[in-house]
Amino acid sequence: QVQLVESGGGLVQPGGSLRLSCVLSGSSADLYNMAWYRQAPGKRRELVAKITSSGLADYVDSVKGRFTISRDNNKNTMYLQMNSLRSEDTAVYYCDRLKSWQPPVSYASWGQGTQVTVSS
C-alpha cells in the first residue's frame, strides 16, 4: 500500500521560508509524476506545483518565482522549497502522485498534510 507522509510545515513570518518534504513508501517514487497541493480554511484543495518523474516542474501562477519543487528518487522523497511566503500561502499542504499530468489528476491518496501558517 502506497503511503505519503508530509513534514516541514510550521509558523513563519511573511517573507520567510520553509522547506516541505514528502516521503513515499510502499512503491518507488520514480514510477510517478507527483505534486504538491494545498487547502486553506474554507477553500477547495488546489494544485501548487507538479513534477515529472525525471524532474520537469510546473507551478501555479501565484507561486511562480517563490516556490521550487524538487525530488530525490533515491530517497523516495519530494520537496517544496517555499520562499517569500505570504499570508495567503497559509494552508495545509499535501503531496500526492499524479494519474494524469495534464489535466493534473491525483490519486487522492491524501495523507495528514503539514500545516503552513504565515503570520506576523
Side-chain angles (χ1 to χ4, degrees):
Q1 181 179 355
V2 174
Q3 289 189 319
L4 296 160
V5 178
E6 304 91 346
S7 63
L11 173 63
V12 63
Q13 292 185 341
S17 297
L18 284 173
R19 188 194 195 203
L20 307 184
S21 297
C22 166
V23 178
L24 185 149
S25 60
S27 185
S28 183
D30 60 8
L31 296 175
Y32 305 102
N33 298 328
M34 297 186 68
W36 284 99
Y37 291 78
R38 67 185 178 188
Q39 188 168 19
K43 295 188 177 181
R44 294 174 59 185
R45 197 179 326 238
E46 65 168 346
L47 177 72
V48 175
K50 57 184 182 180
I51 188 167
T52 66
S53 56
S54 59
L56 295 178
D58 193 23
Y59 303 88
V60 67
D61 285 347
S62 60
V63 307
K64 281 181 180 177
R66 301 189 299 122
F67 290 12
T68 302
I69 189 171
S70 62
R71 62 191 297 162
D72 184 339
N73 289 335
N74 291 327
K75 296 182 178 179
N76 260 17
T77 301
M78 179 177 65
Y79 305 97
L80 187 67
Q81 177 68 43
M82 306 187 296
N83 299 328
S84 302
L85 282 161
R86 305 167 180 169
S87 58
E88 55 263 39
D89 296 318
T90 295
V92 179
Y93 284 71
Y94 302 89
C95 61
D96 202 1
R97 301 163 294 153
L98 291 178
K99 289 182 180 178
S100 167
W101 179 255
Q102 190 61 35
V105 177
S106 80
Y107 278 82
S109 53
W110 308 113
Q112 294 296 311
T114 186
Q115 175 71 49
V116 172
T117 303
V118 184
S119 175
S120 55

